[in-house]
Amino acid sequence: MARFEDQLAAVEAQGSDAQGNDISSNGGEGFTRRGFLIGTMAGSAMMAFGLSGAAAAASDGSANNGSASESLAAGRYEPTIWYAIAPDGTVTVHITKAEMGQHVATSLARLVAEELEADWSSIEVVYVDSDPKWGYMVTGGSWSVHHSYLPLSRAGAAGRIALIEAGAKLLDVDPADCRARHGQVISGDKSVSYGEIVSQAGLERTFSEEELKEISLKPASERRVLGTKGTALDVPAKVNGEAIYGIDVTVDKMLYARPVLPPTRFGSKPVSIDDSAAKQIDGYRQTIELDDPSGVCQGWLAVIADSYSSAMRATDALKVEWQRGDSYDISEADIQEQGHTLVNSPSRDNGSLFVDIGDVSSGLEGASEVIDSTYTTSSVLHFQLEPVNATVFEEDGHWHVHCGNQQQTLAVGMLSKALQVDKSNITLHQYYLGGGFGRRLYGDYTIPAALAAKALGRPVKMLFTRPDDTRFDCVRSPSVQRLRSGLDGNGKVVASEHAAAAGWPSAAMAPAFLIEPVEDGGKVDSFAISGADHWYDVGAQRVWAQQNHKAHEVFVPGYLRSVGPGWTTWAVEQHIDELALAAGKDPARFRLELLNAEGRNAGQAPHSVGGAERLRAVLERAMAKADWDSRDSLPDDVGMGVALTFGQERSMPTWVACIARVKINRGDGSVDVEHLTAVADAGTLAHPDGAMAQLEGSLLWGLSMALYEGTEVEKGKPKALNLGAYTPLRMNQVPKMDLEFVDSDAMPVGLGEPGTTVVAPAIANAIQHAVGVRLRDMPMRAEALKAAL
């Protein structure tokens, strides 16, 4: 499928995102035409360069022409500034990604520090506010380290080169006789610190785009930062209470607000509002109806008060009569019924082709046996620890929005439409996120706060309660999938067809990101089908992505950690097991037979070098660690199952094998996951401690969604609104885990998503091995297993 850079190029070609905002990008993995500039101003050396893939033009549309000194003298040294070195040697790295517990700033700063040869103790990070100069700002898809690796590493290397040249002049030596270590330029027994160079040398060096691409990064054997252990930079502040989240923001003369949500996301209107009871609550001021030109807040009200507790109680006391939207009558069953219809007769009328290789129809017709299976998943909620919130005010014609957000560029565009002001008059100030998981990729929650602030002419802080947040969550769409694969007389797969139906997040939020992976196959949301383009050799192959419009009538389908692969891997990896059983073969060894690093599965440098061979390697290692050969001698009602994943995208694969050992309680149908063994090949690990935390957390969330999470759409909203009815994994349900990363110096890839996708099918396959029952609906409820037994 197309890489994110290609999607951005498509956005550039269309000229706007879902909100009609201009988005510029060079669409490649290189650098902007402005190149890389190093200079001095106000006692600091600034390093600036174009952003990989998501790079945007300067806010004034100008190019960086002329010498560094001319740019600095003219005050134009602003675009795409990534790090600065102060006279005291402090290196400040500017972070455009959202910090939501994944320690992304630590990983990105390590990329710079490695090639810059900075002293790690001198590193500081700053989370920047929204500004066109940073390019398209988004944190999701496991993209952050992968997409930043080359540009940040080359930026660090270019800075090192310039500092060595300037340091050599101060030392009166040949640059060829110098080396950089720990924030110093060294020649023999002489040295000069980066801070001293900044203070004394007057750096001036320009790197063209071509020169940057020709910079050779250090070989893995010479790395001193990447791959080493170390505490994450954000941990101290989160431990001692200094960390500031969006929910912590306060400003002078601020009023508090709570949204009053209509019965349906679309088409509702308030008919009458009775706030007589609310007026009895101290601190209550008024209830306002929000007029939203962007169409996000359809029928929303906002209760305004002097404190949040007053706003919360007044909202509960409010009596509103509503005209409901049509989606009030749509249920989860209705959405799934439409999904079944779509996958049984897939066509371009409701979606597109995602993969089309060979003659699938003939292959299935000529097969000795066809395995035909249908799988479903329920609506899944985010339930991030910090409910969504925003604080907004206007000052001198400029709007300031304070919150945590994962896709600032999209949010600013939405706010521009809602407030009816130019994007240049809006700044989104970024804070730590108390969990994101994809919910904050959509900035809808900033709109009612902004509209309330505009109506009142006062700063407004709007907080959603957890049920408020849940009611209008951008849920991971329920899905239906049908897979049909044919086996020949020797048990070899000769053809496979996969059709998946679900709501499409990008179609709802940013349709310019839809792609056409198959010529004349129609546009598709890769976030609703990635994972179906797997690395197995199954002969002729066809994959359909079908958009379930019924889901879009009820809610905004959202991005939830892993999105499409969260349901496609669920189906693919169970279906592979079913094929193995039909062929009379061991499921793990059957997979090994299908992992041939040939043709499209050979992989490409640098992103997927090695291809299916690397997936084979992690499977073999996992089999050894889990003692797979003991599988046939396990006690009664105990089983082992295997599943593989490549994470979020074929163009950025993270190779993971997972083996689950489960014990089934026949009395109540409950599943005790005793042990998870996982082996991952994520290439170079920028921050190994953070990588392990990501893998652990994603596997546990995958387990949570496999057995416990999931709800239903009922009367226009999720049936479960709080953590009493929605029951994620509890601490006493955490299994023993044996996790390992393959030692690799390949290009780093993503770690936020992969683990979430691989656990559920491994558990399902283990359940089948233990008691002979195949559960095809996720979550796998105890009552369903008990009924099957």
Side-chain angles (χ1 to χ4, degrees):
M1 61 163 287
R3 298 181 63 238
F4 178 66
E5 288 87 344
D6 300 325
Q7 292 172 287
L8 274 171
V11 172
E12 181 185 32
Q14 295 186 37
S16 64
D17 66 6
Q19 308 302 323
N21 309 308
D22 177 63
I23 302 175
S24 299
S25 166
N26 68 349
E29 66 180 22
F31 299 80
T32 65
R33 295 175 182 86
R34 284 172 288 168
F36 181 97
L37 178 69
I38 297 179
T40 55
M41 183 172 71
S44 295
M46 302 291 189
M47 316 302 181
F49 62 98
L51 189 68
S52 170
S59 56
D60 63 358
S62 64
N64 238 349
N65 298 317
S67 69
S69 57
E70 289 173 345
S71 296
L72 293 171
R76 295 198 304 266
Y77 197 78
E78 177 184 357
T80 57
I81 299 170
W82 281 98
Y83 61 92
I85 304 175
D88 65 358
T90 300
V91 179
T92 301
V93 181
H94 296 162
I95 306 297
T96 65
K97 304 301 180 182
E99 178 59 69
M100 47 192 166
Q102 82 282 37
H103 312 308
V104 67
T106 302
S107 295
L108 299 185
R110 281 174 161 240
L111 298 178
V112 173
E114 179 65 75
E115 293 293 336
L116 183 61
E117 290 287 0
D119 183 346
W120 182 250
S121 65
S122 72
I123 295 289
E124 293 183 356
V125 296
V126 173
Y127 300 92
V128 300
D129 299 331
S130 65
D131 192 305
K133 69 185 181 185
W134 300 115
Y136 197 94
M137 298 181 73
V138 60
T139 309
S142 290
W143 292 331
S144 296
V145 174
H146 176 74
H147 289 176
S148 302
Y149 174 66
L150 288 177
L152 289 186
S153 296
R154 286 168 174 163
R160 183 187 74 241
I161 293 169
L163 287 162
I164 287 177
E165 290 175 353
K169 290 181 180 179
L170 292 178
L171 296 174
D172 194 24
V173 296
D174 188 330
D177 296 330
C178 296
R179 59 191 175 94
R181 292 287 188 278
H182 303 297
Q184 298 182 83
V185 173
I186 303 168
S187 176
D189 58 357
K190 297 190 295 184
S191 66
V192 59
S193 72
Y194 286 179
E196 292 172 309
I197 296 172
V198 169
S199 300
Q200 302 174 35
L203 294 168
E204 184 175 332
R205 173 71 190 271
T206 300
F207 289 79
S208 69
E209 182 177 347
E210 290 69 26
E211 287 175 320
L212 280 169
K213 288 183 177 180
E214 291 174 1
I215 290 178
S216 296
L217 302 182
K218 295 191 300 186
S221 60
E222 295 182 13
R223 289 173 179 162
R224 281 169 280 278
V225 179
L226 300 184
T228 64
K229 290 185 173 294
T231 303
L233 296 172
D234 57 300
V235 167
K238 291 178 177 178
V239 172
N240 64 27
E242 292 179 357
I244 303 298
Y245 295 80
I247 204 168
D248 299 322
V249 173
T250 59
V251 298
D252 290 339
K253 300 180 181 180
M254 181 177 77
L255 295 175
Y256 289 82
R258 179 185 171 191
V260 184
L261 300 176
T264 60
R265 180 119 196 184
F266 308 112
S268 289
K269 294 181 180 179
V271 176
S272 66
I273 304 168
D274 179 1
D275 68 345
S276 55
K279 290 178 179 177
Q280 306 305 309
I281 296 171
D282 288 342
Y284 169 72
R285 289 188 172 233
Q286 66 184 113
T287 297
I288 61 176
E289 185 173 353
L290 301 178
D291 180 17
D292 181 10
S294 74
V296 169
C297 302
Q298 298 183 19
W300 290 37
L301 309 175
V303 168
I304 310 300
D306 294 328
S307 69
Y308 183 59
S309 60
S310 297
M312 207 163 55
R313 288 183 289 123
T315 302
D316 292 337
L318 207 65
K319 295 180 180 178
V320 184
E321 182 182 345
W322 300 95
Q323 174 185 312
R324 301 189 300 244
D326 295 339
S327 62
Y328 189 80
D329 297 320
I330 299 177
S331 68
E332 182 98 354
D334 296 326
I335 298 172
Q336 294 294 58
E337 180 182 358
Q338 179 66 20
H340 282 283
T341 299
L342 291 170
V343 300
N344 287 329
S345 300
S347 72
R348 291 181 178 86
D349 295 334
N350 292 290
S352 69
L353 281 168
F354 190 56
V355 177
D356 190 19
I357 301 171
D359 189 344
V360 173
S361 298
S362 296
L364 292 175
E365 290 173 4
S368 297
E369 183 178 6
V370 174
I371 306 301
D372 189 336
S373 305
T374 300
Y375 308 86
T376 66
T377 64
S378 298
S379 294
V380 182
L381 304 173
H382 291 87
F383 269 110
Q384 69 281 353
L385 184 62
E386 177 195 15
V388 293
N389 59 83
T391 301
V392 183
F393 64 91
E394 180 267 335
E395 185 176 50
D396 297 329
H398 196 93
W399 287 89
H400 298 269
V401 182
H402 295 258
C403 66
N405 185 267
Q406 291 179 248
Q407 194 167 191
Q408 297 93 314
T409 301
L410 182 61
V412 168
M414 296 173 68
L415 287 159
S416 172
K417 190 171 183 178
L419 293 170
Q420 295 184 304
V421 300
D422 191 81
K423 297 187 297 295
S424 63
N425 293 324
I426 300 171
T427 297
L428 195 153
H429 301 271
Q430 182 74 334
Y431 294 82
Y432 283 130
L433 281 61
F437 314 129
R439 172 61 185 99
R440 286 178 164 89
L441 283 165
Y442 195 48
D444 55 343
Y445 55 92
T446 67
I447 304 300
L451 293 173
K454 182 177 182 179
L456 298 170
R458 290 274 299 272
V460 169
K461 179 176 185 175
M462 178 173 282
L463 290 89
F464 288 57
T465 65
R466 191 166 299 285
D468 292 340
D469 193 350
T470 303
R471 280 188 61 193
F472 275 48
D473 190 9
C474 301
V475 305
R476 190 181 81 179
S477 172
S479 72
V480 180
Q481 298 175 85
R482 183 186 181 194
L483 282 89
R484 296 187 302 146
S485 296
L487 298 170
D488 67 13
N490 297 317
K492 180 181 177 180
V493 187
V494 293
S496 181
E497 182 175 56
H498 183 172
W504 288 8
S506 297
M509 300 181 190
F513 283 89
L514 302 181
I515 61 172
E516 188 169 16
V518 176
E519 186 175 356
D520 297 325
K523 288 193 173 183
V524 63
D525 183 0
S526 61
F527 290 98
I529 196 62
S530 285
D533 52 341
H534 52 71
W535 293 78
Y536 296 117
D537 180 1
V538 292
Q541 183 184 9
R542 186 163 56 216
V543 177
W544 291 95
Q546 301 289 281
Q547 184 177 2
N548 191 330
H549 293 280
K550 185 71 72 173
H552 289 255
E553 295 176 29
V554 186
F555 52 82
V556 176
Y559 305 101
L560 183 144
R561 198 172 181 183
S562 83
V563 206
W567 64 73
T568 58
T569 305
W570 161 249
V572 167
E573 288 299 315
Q574 282 210 72
H575 189 67
I576 293 294
D577 249 49
E578 294 193 66
L579 292 172
L581 291 173
K585 297 181 179 181
D586 174 271
R589 291 180 171 81
F590 184 72
R591 284 171 169 80
L592 292 174
E593 293 177 9
L594 298 179
L595 292 173
N596 303 313
E598 300 174 355
R600 70 190 294 261
N601 293 331
Q604 295 180 346
H607 308 283
S608 58
V609 61
E613 188 60 40
R614 290 172 70 183
L615 194 53
R616 167 190 284 271
V618 295
L619 173 55
E620 290 175 335
R621 177 59 181 156
M623 291 169 65
K625 288 173 68 67
D627 191 13
W628 180 260
D629 288 338
S630 69
R631 184 173 182 264
D632 294 330
S633 57
L634 295 173
D636 291 344
D637 300 330
V638 175
M640 290 175 67
V642 63
L644 306 182
T645 186
F646 58 93
Q648 181 75 7
E649 303 169 7
R650 269 187 73 97
S651 61
M652 188 191 70
T654 302
W655 317 101
V656 182
C658 179
I659 294 176
R661 173 175 166 141
V662 305
K663 183 176 182 179
I664 309 303
N665 185 326
R666 287 181 175 267
D668 61 7
S670 61
V671 179
D672 179 16
V673 180
E674 296 182 330
H675 202 283
L676 290 178
T677 301
V679 178
D681 180 353
T684 297
L685 301 179
H687 181 214
D689 296 335
M692 182 58 74
Q694 285 275 71
L695 183 58
E696 290 174 346
S698 62
L699 287 167
L700 292 178
W701 197 356
L703 169 56
S704 186
M705 289 188 287
L707 296 178
Y708 306 109
E709 294 191 43
T711 186
E712 297 179 12
V713 171
E714 181 181 77
K715 296 182 178 179
K717 64 181 185 298
K719 186 175 182 180
L721 294 180
N722 215 326
L723 292 169
Y726 195 86
T727 56
L729 182 75
R730 275 24 179 192
M731 290 184 69
N732 66 336
Q733 296 165 326
V734 174
K736 293 181 180 179
M737 302 174 72
D738 184 3
L739 314 181
E740 179 181 301
F741 281 102
V742 171
D743 187 17
S744 172
D745 62 1
M747 188 170 185
V749 284
L751 277 169
E753 272 80 10
T756 65
T757 70
V758 74
V759 176
I763 293 173
N765 291 335
I767 292 171
Q768 196 284 330
H769 178 238
V771 293
V773 171
R774 174 68 60 186
L775 297 179
R776 297 187 179 90
D777 303 323
M778 184 166 71
M780 296 172 278
R781 302 292 191 188
E783 53 267 30
L785 179 54
K786 181 180 179 180
L789 288 170

